């Protein structure tokens, strides 16, 4: 008789060095499995025993939990440049944006798959008028980011609960129209730093993790804006763009999520924060943002140089928009 205590997990590092990740059962989306990675081999199990405990997937107990997107397994991805290009191709196929933004958003996607390793949470904000593709961009990212959940409204209690239990990437569309916008902006600022605990009703909650959101215009909050990679969106007359729910897009996205899980497994213990590229001046929050975006590319000098220049240019633009007092505070 197995009398080991049952422990629910969504991720764990076992005593033998194995990494265990909660995934969706390919045969039944309502069920979960554990993917176990060790020595470049992945196996799957409904439960496993480690150090006198029986580990099982964390229960998805309500409707909100069931909307979190999990991979259905792990699959080889080739080289990091192959995976980056594959992710960027979703944005080139579905959005009318300059090429630099395809790769910037792809960098965000990869960074979300290593939330425990980031110096700060990677934040991405889309800004543009109605009909400029913000929602389309959010739907694409919802197909690719680590444990993504896309919402148009979220309460503070739901925000803390789902973040603490599952550590998802939360995507909030039309952020300033969601619930109480001031409270939500406070939550976004408070949950960008690892290790910060919220104490509510005698419960400690961690809400740290990558976030993606959209605005009609930037909020009057320099502290939040400085935490974000901000992507300007514009309307397009192109008719050749694919919809995020196109069957081919969904089919490829399922495979890419599996490749991203393999990437997480292979790099979880091996990455180091890259140095700032030469001739790029970054300090404070922009430097933290660069480090979060560039972490997946610690051995790719060209990608680090591209991301460093992108963050530096955006920092200059934001600083020009601030008062001297705000700029010195940032």
């Amino acid at each position: 008789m197995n009398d080991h205590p049952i422990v629910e997990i969504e991720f764990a590092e076992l005593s033998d060095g194995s990494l265990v990740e909660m995934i969706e059962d390919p045969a039944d989306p309502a069920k979960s499995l554990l993917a176990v990675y060790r020595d470049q081999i992945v196996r799957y199990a409904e439960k496993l025993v480690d150090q006198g405990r029986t580990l099982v997937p964390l229960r998805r107990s309500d409707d909100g939990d069931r909307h979190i997107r999990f991979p259905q397994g792990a699959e080889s991805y080739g080289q990091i440049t192959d995976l980056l290009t594959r992710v960027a191709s979703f944005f080139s196929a579905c959005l009318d944006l300059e090429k630099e933004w395809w790769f910037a958003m792809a960098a965000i996607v990869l960074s979300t798959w290593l939330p425990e390793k980031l110096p700060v949470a990677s934040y991405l904000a889309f800004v543009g008028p109605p009909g400029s593709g913000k929602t389309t961009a959010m739907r694409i990212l919802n197909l690719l980011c680590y444990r993504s959940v896309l919402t148009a409204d979220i309460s503070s209690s739901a925000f803390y609960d789902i973040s603490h239990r599952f550590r998802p990437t939360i995507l909030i569309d039309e952020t300033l129209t969601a619930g109480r916008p001031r409270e939500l902006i406070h939550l976004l600022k408070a949950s960008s730093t690892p290790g910060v605990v919220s104490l509510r009703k005698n419960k400690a909650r961690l809400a740290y993790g990558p976030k993606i959101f959209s605005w009609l215009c930037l909020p009057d909050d320099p502290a939040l804006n400085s935490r974000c990679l901000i992507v300007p969106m514009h309307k397009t007359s192109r008719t050749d763009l694919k919809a995020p729910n196109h069957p081919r897009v969904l089919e490829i996205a399922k495979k890419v999520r599996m490749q991203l899980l393999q990437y997480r497994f292979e790099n979880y213990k091996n990455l180091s924060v890259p140095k700032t590229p030469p001739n790029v001046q970054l300090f404070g929050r922009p430097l933290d943002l660069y480090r979060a975006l560039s972490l997946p590319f610690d051995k790719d000098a060209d990608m680090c140089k591209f991301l460093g220049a992108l963050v530096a240019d955006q920092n200059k633009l934001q600083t020009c928009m601030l008062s001297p007092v705000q700029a010195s505070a940032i």
Side-chain angles (χ1 to χ4, degrees):
M1 180 177 178
N2 184 356
D3 57 358
H4 294 147
I6 294 176
V7 178
E8 294 184 353
I9 62 166
E10 35 77 32
F11 174 76
E13 187 171 354
L14 303 188
S15 55
D16 64 0
S18 298
L19 299 177
V20 183
E21 185 80 25
M22 177 178 168
I23 64 168
E24 181 183 286
D25 186 342
D28 185 351
K31 295 182 179 180
S32 301
L33 293 175
L34 297 175
V36 186
Y37 174 81
R38 186 184 181 195
D39 297 332
Q40 300 184 320
I41 296 174
V42 181
R43 62 183 178 91
Y44 304 98
E46 293 183 355
K47 59 184 177 181
L48 52 92
V49 175
D50 181 67
Q51 292 188 317
R53 306 169 301 162
T54 297
L55 306 180
V56 299
L58 189 65
R59 281 176 294 178
R60 289 185 276 174
S61 57
D62 58 36
D63 287 340
D65 295 348
R66 285 190 283 272
H67 286 285
I68 300 174
R69 196 178 295 272
F70 290 86
Q72 293 184 343
E75 183 177 287
S76 176
Y77 60 88
Q79 302 297 318
I80 181 65
T81 51
D82 301 327
L83 184 57
L84 177 69
T85 301
R86 215 167 287 135
V87 173
S89 69
F90 284 85
F91 304 110
S92 65
C94 302
L95 291 169
D96 185 8
L97 281 175
E98 293 80 2
K99 187 175 181 178
E100 66 180 28
W101 292 118
W102 305 346
F103 289 96
M105 290 188 288
I108 284 278
V109 169
L110 266 68
S111 74
T112 68
W113 285 81
L114 295 161
E116 306 92 337
K117 304 300 180 179
L118 302 179
V120 295
S122 47
Y123 276 18
L124 176 66
F126 295 104
V127 181
S132 59
K134 299 188 300 297
T135 298
T136 298
M138 301 280 278
R139 290 171 66 193
I140 298 167
L141 287 161
N142 188 44
L143 296 174
L144 300 170
C145 289
Y146 180 67
R147 296 184 189 171
S148 59
V149 56
L150 174 61
T151 179
D153 191 12
I154 188 168
S155 67
S156 61
S157 60
F159 184 97
Y160 280 112
D161 185 59
I162 199 169
S163 297
H164 185 80
R165 295 182 68 232
F166 288 98
R167 301 181 301 114
T169 302
I170 298 179
L171 300 92
I172 310 171
D173 198 13
E174 299 293 356
T175 311
L176 288 180
T177 65
R180 301 174 180 176
R182 291 176 118 191
E183 183 176 339
L184 183 56
I185 288 174
H186 170 72
L187 291 176
L188 292 172
K189 289 189 292 186
S191 58
S192 68
T193 304
V196 175
V197 176
S198 171
L199 299 175
R200 301 270 178 117
K201 296 180 179 179
N202 298 321
K203 290 183 178 181
R205 289 288 184 265
L206 290 170
Y208 168 76
K211 311 288 190 306
I212 298 168
F213 34 93
S214 66
W215 318 100
L216 291 174
C217 58
L218 281 177
D220 184 18
D221 197 308
L224 177 58
N225 295 339
S226 68
R227 288 167 165 83
C228 304
L229 183 67
I230 299 171
V231 180
M233 305 294 287
H234 55 79
K235 293 184 178 181
T236 181
S237 58
R238 286 178 56 182
T239 58
D240 61 328
L241 299 173
K242 286 184 171 61
N245 61 350
H246 188 283
R248 182 61 176 159
V249 172
L250 295 175
E251 179 185 351
I252 297 174
K254 182 169 71 172
K255 288 180 65 67
V256 171
R257 281 198 302 276
M258 295 171 69
Q259 293 168 0
L260 286 162
L261 177 57
Q262 183 72 24
Y263 168 80
R264 172 173 166 80
F265 279 148
E266 291 182 6
N267 292 278
Y268 183 83
K269 299 180 182 180
N270 302 325
L271 292 174
S272 57
V273 177
K275 295 180 180 179
T276 308
N279 304 319
V280 174
Q281 298 295 315
L282 291 172
F283 307 95
R285 288 184 187 137
L287 177 59
D288 288 338
L289 178 60
Y290 161 75
R291 287 172 171 166
L293 294 177
S294 63
L295 180 67
F297 313 100
D298 63 336
K299 298 176 180 64
D300 188 336
D302 289 340
M303 189 64 182
C304 290
K305 182 178 179 181
F306 162 73
L307 292 170
L310 187 68
V311 173
D313 287 346
Q314 189 166 89
N315 182 50
K316 291 176 185 176
L317 178 62
Q318 288 194 48
T319 302
C320 291
M321 298 168 59
L322 305 178
S323 70
V325 173
Q326 290 172 330
S328 63
I330 296 299

